[in-house]
Amino acid sequence: MEFAELIKTPRVDGVVLRRPFMPTVEGTLCLTGHHLILSSRQDNTEELWLLHANIDSTEKRFVGSLGTIIVKCKDLRVIQLDIPGMEECLNIASSIEALSTLDSVSLMYPFFYRPLFEVIEDGWQSFVPEESFKDLESMTDEWRLSEVNKDFSVCPSYPSLLTVPRDIDDESLCKAASFRHGGRFPVLSYYHKKNGMVIMRAAQPLTGTNGRRCKEDEKLINATLCAGKRGYIIDTRTIAVAQQAKARGGGFEQEANYPQWRRIHKAIERSNVLQDSLIKLVEACNDQSHSMDRWLSKLEASNWQSNVKEILTTACLAAQCIDREGASVLVHGTEGTDSTLQVTSLAQIILDPACRTIRGFEVLIEREWLQAGHPFQQRCAQSAYSNGKLRSEAPVFLLFLDCVWQILRQFPCSFQFNENLLIMLFEHAYASQFGTFLGNCVAERGKLQLSQKTVSLWSWVNRPQELERFLNPLYEPNNLVIWPSVAPQSLLLWEGVFLRWNRSTKCLDEAYQEMVHIIEYNKELQNKVNSLRRQLAQLETEDKMVADLK
Amino acid sequence: MEHIRTPKVEQVKLLDRFSNKSVIGTLHLTATHLIFVESNSTSAQEIWILHHHIASMEKLSLTTSGCPLLIQCRNFRLVHFVIPRERDCHDIYSSLLRLLRPVSYDELYAFSYNPKQNDQQREEGWQLIDLAAEFERMGVPCDQWQLTDVNREYKVCETYPRDLYVPITASKPIIVGSSKFRSKGRFPVLTYFYQEKKAAVCRCSQPLSGFSARCLEDEHMLQAISKANHNSRYIYVMDTRPKLNALANRAAGKGYENEDNYSNIRFQFVGIENIHVMRGSLQKLLEVVGTRSLSMTDYLVGLENSGWLRHIKAIMDAAIFLAKAVTVEGASVLVHCSDGWDRTAQVCALGSLLMDPYYRTIKGFMVLIEKDWISFGHKFADRCDQLDPDQKEVSPIFTQFLECVWQLTEQFPQAFEFSEWFLIQIHEHVHSCQFGNFLGNSQRQREVLQLKERTYSLWAHLLSEKQNYMNPVYSPSFAESHPVLEPSTQACHFKFWRNMYHQYDRSMHPRQSILKQVLTFKESNRELEGTVQALKTKLQKFGVSTSPLKPQTPPRDRSLPPRPQSLILGAPLLSRKEVQQEEDEEVFGEEAREDAPASTDGERTVEGSSATENGYGELTGSFGSKNEPAVVTLEFGVARMTC
């Protein structure tokens, strides 16, 4: 087995594990191919099982012969391991380093993980495009499912089945694809049942400096407009950035060629800027200096909250175009795989009550992120403790989750799920035993044979035992469009993720449990009252019958 | 009434603070309130503003639609009226100017407010809080501490209460001598006794030490405090001011204790800024958060520059230091600042609250405020600008205390019997002058004003609607596992208190309230328990007796006492007539209607749900017509859209 040679020292005794706000554990440290395990070998004490893939970076320190490894994880946790013996420490450190930076996807844990639970519903089969299309078909006949990308040759990052306007043939789609970055031609993202308006998404048009145009592209998006109606194109970049893109062959839709569309530019940051923002934010959150001014200025300098606000604002804008203006929307940025998806998926959470259920949210993630080709493997290769050598890492998905959390905070009764689901998704996007977030697009996942060789995250999440943890006790279905406030005073720092390891959550958890208890007790009492009423009614009828007989 | 020149102005426009929304209505001016009633008959919202709540008014320059009048309230409400005729605006403005600057205490609302209670009820209200009983609860008097009658006639210290507790070994000459060496005669007295360790929290004002003066009696006094506690050889002296301020005071013949002159004291500066800095800080904060279309950067930079949270943290840090010294080291602590009625009150009260779970209950919190703030002479009249004030004396010292408590409720959601609405409601009434509790600057003044005979107590009022202020997840057993609260003082755990400073800015708040939901569940649980009990009795009776008399079922729709006037909890909508007749109390119909339990929360969208409010009409129009403006800027509720 390949891992054995990477593990220089598989086992060290007398290792001390230190974590903030948790008791120190002393025990034996074991390295396996995929886990770092620390066990005190005593009953009732917690064992640490850490996926190597979860390790973002490590630091070594020595005091005499006592070595210390500080392990910084992708879920933002920081733990300290005190290892007696310099050699052992060095060995462990280099083993962890090697094991946590494996290049080959096929060596990742999901390919080795065998579930201890029975898979009742295979998550790989839970969300098929045909199913969603059936729903759409029941509402409108304006759209069709195209197989133009069956072999992923038209657009490598798109799935094989795509929803496109009925009147546009596959040949036109191919031409439109050649006019869009990465072949990502405009496809349907969301159909608003209430008024038939749609959100489409694409990548930037390749107008270049000489203003190329593509009749098929124009026809394609015009086909989504009703007669005499106009739509909005939301470009997630500022006009300046979009102009610059022309020099590299990209660009934006010219008014002259798209007279039925009004273009709006927003300013969502590009992925490399977002990564920097995350690094700074986490650095600020871990600052132990206790100085208020320092904290606030670091928080501000990280720009994280500004990014949240900008993304949420853009999503609200898209939703407003649809619901209030009665106009269809096309969203794109540069590649159409990052900010575009943030906007289209958040707009759906605002507009569509179905997306606020657990199942609906899973469908949304599957459709708007996984199948839409957000490059999870690249984006989530490193997290906030990454240093230097960044390639294309970016917390695009985490920002989306943060925005969902903001809406959840403002509408705490309108979501079937709670914060735990969002945190869980964040963790699994970065390191997981499940194959769901591996690969960068459908085509890659197919090649990796993930559905045969790994277990889907959804297979695990959708088990009733697990689901319970993610249920929001306050949930009451709310069929309305929910408009969040984007005032800075209304947007909070997501403590559940960013301050998670910097505080003791005991008091907060207990309070949450108490709330759950109150609500469950209410249901219990309701049932009790109902059953007593029934009993009484029965007695009364019997009594009446007896009286009548007399 | 003679001050009201125009009792009613019609066609007044009320502009929303953060959007372009506006409504038309009628403005009424009564002897106690300024009332705006929206004309739209279907959703007529009403805004009631008590004159005492108005902090400032500004007449802006005339516009085409009328004369704008900006009113800033002490409860952080800001209303912007546009009055069609300048003359009317001027009349309203000058009438208000006179009405909100009462020249004597008799003009304050509390002296005309009548909640329809008889004298006995009024008296009972005032008897709710008994400070002698409170000291008894702490275990005082005891073998080391006694009640002294030295201030019975307010002869030693005008601003202290009559009843004071001092070490047994502190004789009258020592007390009197010490008081002469302390600013405003505020000598060291007991404010909290930590029975478990026999450690005392004492408070006083700064010593008149100047550069070298000393006073043997004062030194004896501190010695006596030290000796009263056998657990510790030393006492802490906490000077809550920044060292620089204390040094500067020496030039004026005041200053701080010289460790060489006092045996066994550990002297400590804490660094809480003075009332002027705090006033400026709040002003800056309000300016920032009142900005329209505020960017995240400006918000965070503004929050930092205001220094507000830094000051809140400084107070919290001081209280934690105090609580640790007492509970961990078992040492007694003497707290002072300059006069010992601002920072000292903050630190003593917050420190006691950290140490003693009783103060985290509704009743206990009232006692705490009554003790450390009211009786020990926090100058509410001056700080809250009650009467013909010196603006330099106004400062949000008490507001800061309430905010510190709120920060604690956020960290310890199960520790407090009350929710933040209790704190906000107290804040509301500290400024309303509707009840007698907070009037005046000292106990002595309150006695002269005969408040107990002529006004009502806020505490009785709050207790009567207690269930609105309950924290549904409060756990009395939390106090057993956490008798002493140890909050985190990491900066990132301090938050901006949106529900206080934006209480009236509906668009800022979550559209659904967890607190309200859980409270409703809790109330429903109580009712259901009753129903279950009744049904069980009924069932039992069924078997036994066949009497034709039906047993009484408990009323299922028991009507609840009115909700507090807050955004989240909402208040029942009384008709204007009703209230006008009774001159009862403020009712903010606006919120009441918006948060009526029946309404579907999701419907309350960002800035209202109709297209016209958001200017969508304009957009559609521009779409249809051929002549499109080059740039169309539209205000959407949530986003500005530039095409």
Side-chain angles (χ1 to χ4, degrees):
Chain A
M1 169 141 166
E2 305 92 325
F3 301 115
E5 58 204 52
L6 296 175
I7 302 169
K8 293 179 182 156
T9 303
R11 212 186 117 166
V12 187
D13 289 322
V15 175
V16 179
L17 166 70
R18 296 177 201 281
R19 294 167 292 182
F21 302 103
M22 286 203 244
T24 311
V25 181
E26 190 180 336
T28 306
L29 178 76
C30 296
L31 287 186
T32 73
H34 292 106
H35 284 97
L36 180 156
I37 304 157
L38 190 123
S39 164
S40 63
R41 307 209 168 185
Q42 281 163 9
D43 294 337
N44 309 325
T45 41
E46 204 196 332
E47 289 183 348
L48 174 77
W49 282 70
L50 189 67
L51 260 184
H52 294 316
N54 192 359
I55 295 172
D56 210 19
S57 72
T58 54
E59 279 167 32
K60 302 183 282 278
R61 275 207 303 256
F62 290 98
V63 180
S65 69
L66 181 77
T68 295
I69 303 177
I70 295 168
V71 180
K72 298 182 172 181
C73 303
K74 287 176 189 162
D75 60 14
L76 309 183
R77 155 174 44 162
V78 178
I79 60 171
Q80 182 181 329
L81 297 165
D82 292 344
I83 301 172
M86 189 178 287
E87 199 191 329
E88 279 84 355
C89 182
L90 283 170
N91 283 346
I92 294 285
S94 66
S95 307
I96 295 178
E97 171 88 28
L99 289 164
S100 61
T101 52
L102 292 176
D103 265 338
S104 168
V105 182
S106 57
L107 291 179
M108 301 292 249
Y109 186 51
F111 289 95
F112 300 83
Y113 170 74
R114 291 293 158 262
L116 292 170
F117 58 88
E118 191 195 344
V119 176
I120 303 160
E121 183 200 339
D122 184 3
W124 292 115
Q125 311 305 327
S126 295
F127 312 101
V128 282
E130 288 92 336
E131 290 277 318
S132 327
F133 188 71
K134 262 186 216 147
D135 289 345
L136 182 67
E137 254 184 330
S138 69
M139 298 183 275
T140 170
D141 58 356
E142 298 282 305
W143 299 82
R144 69 181 182 95
L145 213 48
S146 165
E147 294 188 351
V148 68
N149 200 36
K150 201 161 64 182
D151 54 0
F152 307 106
S153 59
V154 177
C155 172
S157 62
Y158 269 167
S160 52
L161 288 173
L162 291 156
T163 311
V164 295
R166 190 191 54 200
D167 298 335
I168 306 295
D169 57 22
D170 282 359
E171 201 182 323
S172 305
L173 292 178
C174 290
K175 286 197 176 135
S178 66
F179 181 63
R180 293 274 171 180
H181 190 117
R184 294 177 69 93
F185 57 88
V187 295
L188 181 78
S189 164
Y190 170 67
Y191 180 85
H192 197 45
K193 200 174 170 180
K194 190 167 121 193
N195 58 10
M197 294 303 125
V198 296
I199 300 178
M200 284 180 301
R201 51 179 157 74
Q204 64 175 347
L206 303 173
T207 56
T209 37
N210 49 11
R212 250 181 80 202
R213 65 185 286 191
C214 171
K215 292 270 187 217
E216 287 78 10
D217 187 76
E218 291 159 24
K219 206 175 132 208
L220 168 55
I221 69 167
N222 286 341
T224 65
L225 296 176
C226 305
K229 276 283 216 171
R230 294 226 241 169
Y232 288 91
I233 294 173
I234 297 179
D235 191 327
T236 60
R237 306 163 294 178
T238 60
I239 180 77
V241 174
Q243 288 281 9
Q244 283 161 17
K246 282 185 180 174
R248 291 188 299 276
F252 52 86
E253 295 82 356
Q254 297 293 344
E255 283 87 352
N257 302 338
Y258 297 84
Q260 285 164 285
W261 295 83
R262 183 181 293 272
R263 212 178 59 247
I264 304 165
H265 287 276
K266 298 298 291 181
I268 300 182
E269 293 287 2
R270 281 191 60 91
S271 51
N272 53 338
V273 181
L274 298 181
Q275 181 69 10
D276 189 47
S277 171
L278 174 66
I279 293 172
K280 283 188 183 154
L281 172 72
V282 172
E283 212 260 305
C285 293
N286 288 343
D287 188 327
Q288 301 292 322
S289 76
H290 290 245
S291 150
M292 185 57 73
D293 289 1
R294 201 173 145 132
W295 157 246
L296 288 172
S297 78
K298 280 183 149 191
L299 179 63
E300 189 277 312
S302 81
N303 255 329
W304 183 265
Q305 294 297 95
S306 300
N307 289 321
V308 169
K309 180 168 153 61
E310 192 61 35
I311 294 165
L312 211 46
T313 307
T314 311
C316 289
L317 178 68
Q320 272 172 327
C321 292
I322 297 280
D323 191 65
R324 301 293 178 82
E325 296 304 313
S328 286
V329 177
L330 169 67
V331 184
H332 71 73
T334 304
E335 287 109 346
T337 54
D338 295 298
S339 57
T340 306
L341 305 182
Q342 290 172 329
V343 174
T344 56
S345 53
L346 285 168
Q348 292 177 50
I349 285 176
I350 294 166
L351 293 168
D352 186 1
C355 294
R356 300 172 219 143
T357 63
I358 291 191
R359 195 70 180 193
F361 191 63
E362 289 173 1
V363 171
L364 185 75
I365 304 249
E366 186 70 36
R367 182 165 39 80
E368 288 299 300
W369 289 88
L370 290 159
Q371 298 184 9
H374 175 66
F376 275 100
Q377 192 160 328
Q378 288 177 9
R379 296 286 181 257
C380 301
Q382 296 254 263
S383 165
Y385 302 116
S386 53
N387 29 24
K389 56 181 195 311
L390 288 175
R391 289 178 297 261
S392 37
E393 288 78 359
V396 176
F397 187 61
L398 175 57
L399 267 165
F400 158 72
L401 294 175
D402 194 330
C403 292
V404 177
W405 179 78
Q406 304 287 351
I407 307 177
L408 172 62
R409 279 294 300 235
Q410 296 190 24
F411 295 89
C413 308
S414 299
F415 287 79
Q416 193 190 12
F417 52 87
N418 60 21
E419 183 183 6
N420 293 339
L421 183 77
L422 302 173
I423 297 174
M424 183 276 292
L425 286 170
F426 158 60
E427 290 172 340
H428 283 273
Y430 280 85
S432 173
Q433 65 268 46
F434 303 107
T436 300
F437 291 108
L438 291 183
N440 290 309
C441 56
V442 175
E444 270 187 47
R445 282 182 206 109
K447 273 188 211 131
L448 289 166
Q449 296 180 285
L450 291 179
S451 60
Q452 292 100 57
K453 293 186 172 171
T454 72
V455 180
S456 163
L457 173 68
W458 311 128
S459 303
W460 172 71
V461 172
N462 288 329
R463 300 171 72 233
Q465 302 93 306
E466 299 301 330
L467 270 182
E468 206 168 312
R469 195 157 59 90
F470 304 123
L471 285 173
N472 175 9
L474 294 165
Y475 177 56
E476 277 169 41
N478 169 6
N479 280 321
L480 298 158
V481 175
I482 53 176
W483 300 107
S485 160
V486 294
Q489 296 96 314
S490 306
L491 301 177
L492 308 170
L493 177 72
W494 191 6
E495 295 173 67
V497 164
F498 300 110
L499 302 180
R500 184 180 179 189
W501 312 102
N502 298 341
R503 58 174 183 181
S504 157
T505 53
K506 199 168 159 275
C507 293
L508 303 178
D509 292 344
E510 284 170 0
Y512 182 81
Q513 281 313 320
E514 176 62 22
M515 181 187 85
V516 173
H517 170 76
I518 291 169
I519 296 166
E520 273 170 4
Y521 182 49
N522 190 264
K523 283 186 198 131
E524 215 174 282
L525 282 171
Q526 294 274 14
N527 290 339
K528 183 97 188 167
V529 167
N530 289 342
S531 87
L532 285 174
R533 285 230 170 89
R534 264 198 306 276
Q535 212 180 329
L536 192 66
Q538 206 172 3
L539 280 172
E540 271 169 349
T541 358
E542 278 169 19
D543 212 44
K544 195 163 171 282
M545 275 160 64
V546 172
D548 285 351
L549 282 176
K550 276 180 186 170
Chain B
M1 277 310 204
E2 69 271 26
H3 307 304
I4 299 171
R5 296 201 207 167
T6 311
K8 185 174 160 190
V9 184
E10 281 172 8
Q11 290 296 308
V12 173
K13 201 195 264 181
L14 171 68
L15 303 178
D16 186 88
R17 192 177 169 194
F18 293 105
S19 73
N20 284 340
K21 223 170 97 182
S22 68
V23 289
I24 302 282
T26 309
L27 205 56
H28 300 263
L29 192 59
T30 75
T32 53
H33 288 85
L34 179 68
I35 305 156
F36 175 82
V37 185
E38 199 186 321
S39 308
N40 186 335
S41 57
T42 50
S43 70
Q45 62 156 333
E46 294 183 12
I47 294 179
W48 287 62
I49 296 169
L50 195 63
H51 298 329
H52 294 308
H53 270 148
I54 297 176
S56 67
M57 289 186 303
E58 203 184 340
K59 256 197 325 174
L60 306 179
S61 50
L62 201 65
T63 67
T64 46
S65 55
C67 192
L69 181 64
L70 203 62
I71 296 177
Q72 168 89 53
C73 302
R74 290 184 229 286
N75 52 11
F76 309 116
R77 185 200 274 271
L78 192 131
V79 283
H80 190 164
F81 293 120
V82 179
I83 298 167
R85 291 194 328 167
E86 196 185 3
R87 217 195 117 74
D88 289 336
C89 182
H90 183 76
D91 282 351
I92 293 274
Y93 179 80
S94 45
S95 309
L96 275 176
L97 212 53
R98 175 63 192 85
L99 286 165
L100 59 91
R101 289 272 170 269
V103 286
S104 76
Y105 275 102
D106 296 351
E107 288 181 43
L108 294 180
Y109 186 30
F111 293 96
S112 56
Y113 170 66
N114 180 3
K116 301 240 160 82
Q117 286 180 359
N118 59 34
D119 286 353
Q120 196 198 338
Q121 284 168 312
R122 184 213 303 260
E123 226 168 89
E124 278 168 10
W126 283 111
Q127 282 160 0
L128 270 172
I129 309 291
D130 177 359
L131 289 184
E134 169 57 11
F135 279 95
E136 217 167 280
R137 185 191 69 86
M138 295 178 208
V140 176
C142 62
D143 58 344
Q144 296 294 336
W145 293 88
Q146 64 179 2
L147 181 68
T148 171
D149 58 3
V150 70
N151 204 37
R152 270 286 138 81
E153 311 296 326
Y154 296 114
K155 276 190 181 136
V156 179
C157 176
E158 272 202 315
T159 58
Y160 267 170
R162 290 176 189 271
D163 290 346
L164 294 164
Y165 296 82
V166 292
I168 335 199
T169 49
S171 61
K172 262 184 201 169
I174 288 180
I175 293 173
V176 174
S178 168
S179 84
K180 286 189 175 137
F181 187 63
R182 294 274 168 182
S183 193
K184 309 278 194 309
R186 293 170 69 93
F187 61 95
V189 293
L190 182 80
T191 178
Y192 180 70
F193 188 65
Y194 188 67
Q195 229 171 336
E196 204 183 309
K197 300 247 165 106
K198 307 274 177 224
V201 178
C202 299
R203 55 185 288 173
C204 61
S205 60
Q206 64 184 340
L208 305 176
S209 50
F211 290 99
S212 58
R214 54 188 290 187
C215 163
L216 283 178
E217 289 93 338
D218 193 62
E219 289 160 26
H220 274 134
M221 188 72 193
L222 266 65
Q223 189 110 47
I225 293 172
S226 181
K227 283 205 177 126
N229 178 1
H230 301 303
N231 280 320
S232 175
R233 286 185 303 106
Y234 51 87
I235 63 165
Y236 280 102
V237 176
M238 276 174 83
D239 189 327
T240 54
R241 300 168 293 183
K243 186 171 184 183
L244 211 63
N245 300 26
L247 283 171
N249 264 299
R250 288 206 300 192
K254 299 163 185 174
Y256 56 92
E257 292 81 356
N258 182 342
E259 272 181 290
D260 298 338
N261 299 340
Y262 294 84
S263 51
N264 304 325
I265 69 162
R266 294 197 176 176
F267 187 85
Q268 179 83 33
F269 285 112
V270 178
I272 302 173
E273 298 287 351
N274 65 25
I275 57 165
H276 311 294
V277 176
M278 300 306 190
R279 179 179 57 241
S281 173
L282 181 63
Q283 239 153 34
K284 279 188 209 156
L285 178 81
L286 294 177
E287 245 167 64
V288 171
V289 299
T291 315
R292 285 179 76 165
S293 323
L294 181 64
S295 77
M296 186 58 82
T297 299
D298 290 346
Y299 168 65
L300 291 173
V301 169
L303 204 56
E304 181 193 343
N305 289 344
S306 75
W308 183 255
L309 286 175
R310 175 159 43 87
H311 300 314
I312 295 292
K313 182 168 144 52
I315 298 162
M316 192 80 99
D317 284 336
I320 293 168
F321 179 90
L322 169 69
K324 275 204 178 130
V326 172
T327 59
V328 180
E329 293 183 53
S332 293
V333 183
L334 175 65
V335 184
H336 73 72
C337 45
S338 296
D339 291 321
W341 49 43
D342 293 311
R343 291 167 269 208
T344 301
Q346 289 176 329
V347 174
C348 289
L350 198 60
S352 312
L353 182 106
L354 290 175
M355 288 186 266
D356 194 332
Y358 175 63
Y359 297 132
R360 299 172 218 146
T361 64
I362 286 184
K363 179 80 186 293
F365 193 65
M366 294 171 175
V367 169
L368 183 67
I369 291 175
E370 195 72 40
K371 172 170 71 76
D372 270 311
W373 292 89
I374 297 174
S375 88
F376 276 116
H378 174 67
K379 302 202 289 175
F380 279 104
D382 289 358
R383 297 291 179 261
C384 302
D385 198 5
Q386 285 170 0
L387 197 64
D388 192 27
D390 175 358
Q391 286 302 321
K392 283 202 188 98
E393 283 286 308
V394 178
S395 189
I397 301 302
F398 187 69
T399 309
Q400 286 183 318
F401 165 68
L402 293 177
E403 174 163 343
C404 288
V405 177
W406 175 78
Q407 300 281 359
L408 288 172
T409 64
E410 285 287 291
Q411 286 196 34
F412 305 100
Q414 292 193 278
F416 293 83
E417 192 188 5
F418 48 84
S419 70
E420 67 178 312
W421 297 110
F422 186 56
L423 302 173
I424 290 173
Q425 193 68 357
I426 291 174
H427 183 264
E428 190 87 7
H429 284 297
V430 165
H431 293 98
S432 74
C433 301
Q434 186 176 341
F435 297 94
N437 308 59
F438 299 104
L439 301 190
N441 283 323
S442 65
Q443 283 301 60
R444 184 184 185 182
Q445 199 180 0
R446 281 177 205 112
E447 280 170 22
V448 173
L449 288 169
Q450 294 176 292
L451 291 178
K452 290 192 179 177
E453 290 79 47
R454 301 171 61 202
T455 72
Y456 294 84
S457 168
L458 170 66
W459 307 131
H461 169 75
L462 291 180
L463 278 179
S464 74
E465 37 186 58
K466 183 175 165 186
Q467 43 184 314
N468 296 326
Y469 307 118
M470 297 295 277
N471 167 13
V473 297
Y474 169 62
S475 153
S477 64
F478 187 89
E480 285 155 32
S481 50
H482 302 77
V484 180
L485 293 184
E486 293 171 56
S488 159
T489 58
Q490 249 180 294
C492 52
H493 292 128
F494 290 80
K495 294 178 240 173
F496 171 68
W497 192 5
R498 187 181 53 208
N499 285 346
M500 172 65 102
Y501 305 106
H502 283 300
Q503 193 190 161
Y504 295 97
D505 303 315
R506 199 162 55 81
S507 64
M508 297 276 176
H509 296 287
R511 305 308 197 275
Q512 296 171 323
S513 155
I514 297 180
L515 173 63
K516 186 180 148 191
Q517 283 288 334
V518 181
L519 265 179
T520 314
F521 274 117
K522 199 124 193 205
E523 271 164 24
S524 151
N525 284 357
R526 229 187 351 258
E527 280 166 29
L528 285 169
E529 274 172 352
T531 316
V532 166
Q533 216 44 55
L535 283 169
K536 275 186 178 163
T537 346
K538 220 172 164 185
L539 275 168
Q540 273 170 3
K541 276 185 190 167
F542 217 87
V544 188
S545 78
T546 43
S547 96
L549 273 168
K550 277 192 173 177
Q552 200 79 46
T553 36
R556 291 216 289 127
D557 297 275
R558 212 183 331 145
S559 61
L560 296 165
R563 290 287 194 186
Q565 301 137 9
S566 69
L567 260 181
I568 308 282
L569 290 172
L573 198 68
L574 298 189
S575 84
R576 185 165 49 88
K577 261 188 196 159
E578 240 175 73
V579 188
Q580 256 181 341
Q581 279 167 3
E582 297 179 14
E583 285 289 337
D584 196 353
E585 62 179 280
E586 310 154 80
V587 172
F588 299 93
E590 175 195 19
E591 287 79 27
R593 177 142 296 183
E594 289 299 333
D595 283 87
S599 80
T600 330
D601 288 298
E603 214 148 33
R604 278 177 288 118
T605 54
V606 178
E607 302 277 30
S609 11
S610 93
T612 43
E613 276 170 2
N614 283 324
Y616 297 119
E618 198 185 334
L619 180 74
T620 325
S622 77
F623 246 135
S625 70
K626 277 184 182 170
N627 303 328
E628 288 170 23
V631 174
V632 185
T633 312
L634 293 155
E635 277 258 328
F636 285 77
V638 282
R640 185 181 287 270
M641 182 160 147
T642 315
C643 307

